[in-house]
Amino acid sequence: MQIVLVDDDPDVIDLMSLALEQAGHTVITSPAGAPIVSTLKADPPDVLITDLMMAELTGLELCELVNTTARLSKMKIIVISARTDDLWKDKAKDCGAAGFIEKPIDVMTFAATVEGIVSAST
């Protein structure tokens, strides 16, 4: 799968990238939400994994942008966050996310979790 990761924490990006690349996926990363929108439109990936809380563009806002762009409508979105209350999980689901992964991520199971969310939502 081609996966785009958006998170403002470079350490988290590195961990997620490593786990996904070792599982055979192609990964593109971005440290913030707004600059990635043009990349998504130019070459839509299979999956977008976005942090919930980012300064420039939140994961929920990015989720809404993706879901209102016809060219990106088939892309699966997974939200990751340290905010684990049901309120945030519900908001992610309401904005069209296929799944929610809690931080800190488990590097050993992260790729399988992503793959499970994607296969369950197709």
Side-chain angles (χ1 to χ4, degrees):
M1 284 187 289
Q2 183 176 348
I3 302 171
V4 170
L5 302 175
V6 182
D7 197 306
D8 53 3
D9 183 336
D11 293 333
V12 172
I13 287 272
D14 289 346
L15 287 173
M16 291 190 297
S17 294
L18 179 64
L20 292 167
E21 287 170 347
Q22 286 181 341
H25 302 291
T26 303
V27 178
I28 298 167
T29 64
S30 176
I36 200 65
V37 174
S38 60
T39 301
L40 294 173
K41 288 179 182 177
D43 186 19
D46 302 303
V47 180
L48 167 66
I49 300 174
T50 181
D51 188 16
L52 179 67
M53 297 299 186
M54 297 180 289
E56 192 173 327
L57 180 69
T58 71
L60 297 178
E61 292 168 334
L62 183 55
C63 198
E64 289 173 5
L65 273 170
V66 165
N67 287 323
T68 58
T69 305
R71 181 167 163 76
L72 304 176
S73 63
K74 293 183 181 182
M75 181 180 6
K76 303 298 178 197
I77 303 167
I78 299 171
V79 174
I80 61 168
S81 182
R83 293 188 179 217
T84 59
D85 328 354
D86 287 340
L87 169 75
W88 295 107
K89 292 176 183 178
D90 291 343
K91 284 185 179 215
K93 185 178 179 181
D94 290 346
C95 82
F100 189 99
I101 298 174
E102 296 180 6
K103 286 182 180 179
I105 65 163
D106 180 344
V107 178
M108 301 303 291
T109 61
F110 182 70
T113 301
V114 169
E115 292 163 357
I117 291 169
V118 171
S119 66
S121 66
T122 50

